[in-house]
Amino acid sequence: MPFTFSTSDGTFFVDRTDKALTTNGGFAAFASFLNRSKIIEKLVDTCPIERSSNNALPVRDIVISFLLTCIVEGRRFRHVRFIQNDAVITKLFKLERRICSDDTFRRFFAAIDNEAGKKWIDGAFEILFGALPQSFIIDWDSTVTTRYGEQEGVEVGYNPMKPGRGSHHPLIATVAGLRMCLTLSQRPGNSHTAEGMTAAMDDLLSRLPKDKRPYITRADIGFSGEPILKWFETGIGKPYYVFKLKKSAKVMEAVRAVSEMQWNGAATFGAMQVTELELQLTTWDRKRRIILGRRLINKQTPEESGTLFGVCAYEYSAFVTNLTKDQFDTWQVVELYQGRADCENVFDELKNQWGLSGFCSQKMQITEIAARFTVLSYNIWSLFARFFGGKQHKEAQTSRREILMFPAQLTESGRERTLQISVADQFWDVLNLGYERLSKWLKATAPQLTRSCALIDWIKTIDAVTSPGIPDLLASNCGK
């Protein structure tokens, strides 16, 4: 029996329908992209555990359920309920049984050994390595995910937002300009900023394709210790580094020793001045190339300051690098490091628009596997969204609503199935252009086609899908 509601525009009847409806009409295009990428097949084929019970849900159903939960803004295991009763999603992704429950996630992840789980998900990451350019820059940093409980690995450490509160302290490597995460290490909250960085770097270099190598590594304060610097300076095939230095007493002593004539650049308000020198810090075993920078932030005349010559206040910065002057001069090193600021947007998006700060369990291994899946979901979605935004990256809170979250109805007539979507004209323009690009890509990367330079060159002509690395990703899946 329908309900009756009187509104300002008259009476409306509300009744239930058995038609196949969904609030995520954009999943049809995403399902096609995901199917061609072969990521789900890789995860299913390499899963470290077997689901032998007749009552156990297939691995494929569980993997897709968690991936989609992350994409529809899920931040807790129970948020799978956002899609649990969506019959359209079950058909679009051809699930054998159904969208699983939150308890299934926890039991499934708990059965996977931590090291085995890392290797399992790393295999899916390696498919996305095809999106990398031949040379690229890696940005390393750690972030704090505050926890409210006594879960495994939650320790009190550096937590600027909530001092004294327990947290986890993951370490993440991102690719500059590509909005892609290469690896994640989940660590206790009391871990040092750079703890485990060299081991993670060794592992990452061993998994990267031989024709795709990092040229430079950038990192913030905390990564400039002697063991890390020496790791980069020894061995073959290591990238160069540019790290920010803490303004320690030794560094500030060097700053004060620089004369006014040695600073390059005009000493105007807000302008950067730079110089360089060789310096050996207390914990280092030798001198290294140091870039110093300063910016005038306040200037007072003798009358205003009550001094003889007036007062100038500067903001200082210092960087250490093993790049030579022939490779990058002083100004270029500063400019190179400033480009690292974009990686902070990646961390902000992962924590606030994805589930990196959520999906927390009592067991550390469950939390870590969930975090790795979250980052994998972020990578997949970022690449998919490029078909609709081109070179301009749109954060998930925007892209989800433009290309995913809109109502649709599935109609079936014989073997023909049609998903009818309902969107405003302004969104249809974006969808229409994105669907055209995606359709061209799907045709160009059909399994029966062989990989060829001609194919790569042709794909580069597709409008706004020529961001760094995209053509390589498209070509890497040809013929698979």
Side-chain angles (χ1 to χ4, degrees), residues 171-312:
L171 178 68
I172 303 177
T174 64
V175 181
L178 197 57
R179 289 297 179 102
M180 176 183 286
C181 298
L182 296 178
T183 186
L184 175 143
S185 299
Q186 189 74 286
R187 307 175 302 174
N190 58 357
S191 301
H192 182 267
T193 302
E195 183 177 327
M197 187 262 201
T198 55
M201 193 70 181
D202 274 326
D203 177 67
L204 179 60
L205 291 177
S206 68
R207 295 189 293 109
L208 286 170
K210 293 182 179 179
D211 61 337
K212 300 177 185 295
R213 312 303 292 177
Y215 177 62
I216 295 172
T217 298
R218 301 181 297 199
D220 204 350
I221 297 172
F223 290 83
S224 55
E226 178 65 26
I228 293 178
L229 298 183
K230 185 170 289 186
W231 182 91
F232 280 96
E233 294 165 350
T234 57
I236 301 174
K238 304 289 182 65
Y240 295 97
Y241 64 80
V242 179
F243 296 155
K244 193 171 185 179
L245 286 176
K246 183 179 180 181
K247 289 176 282 188
S248 62
K250 191 82 171 180
V251 171
M252 293 310 296
E253 180 183 341
V255 168
R256 288 189 290 269
V258 177
S259 66
E260 287 296 322
M261 296 298 294
Q262 291 176 296
W263 289 105
N264 299 313
T268 53
F269 187 83
M272 175 68 79
Q273 292 180 287
V274 298
T275 188
E276 71 171 81
L277 47 84
E278 287 196 345
L279 181 66
Q280 180 177 347
L281 298 184
T282 305
T283 57
W284 294 353
D285 63 2
R286 66 181 184 83
K287 291 184 177 181
R288 291 184 169 91
R289 185 186 179 196
I290 305 297
I291 310 298
L292 300 177
R294 73 175 186 178
R295 195 186 303 273
L296 182 63
I297 58 175
N298 189 22
K299 187 174 183 178
Q300 293 180 326
T301 63
E303 292 78 11
E304 292 172 332
S305 64
T307 61
L308 184 60
F309 299 104
V311 174
C312 292

Side-chain angles (χ1 to χ4, degrees), residues 17-23 85-89 91 407-412 418-420:
T17 180
D18 292 326
K19 293 181 179 179
L21 305 175
T22 181
T23 58
N85 298 316
D86 196 321
V88 176
I89 288 179
K91 294 184 177 182
Q409 177 180 339
L410 178 64
T411 58
E412 299 184 65
T418 303
L419 192 67
Q420 298 175 314

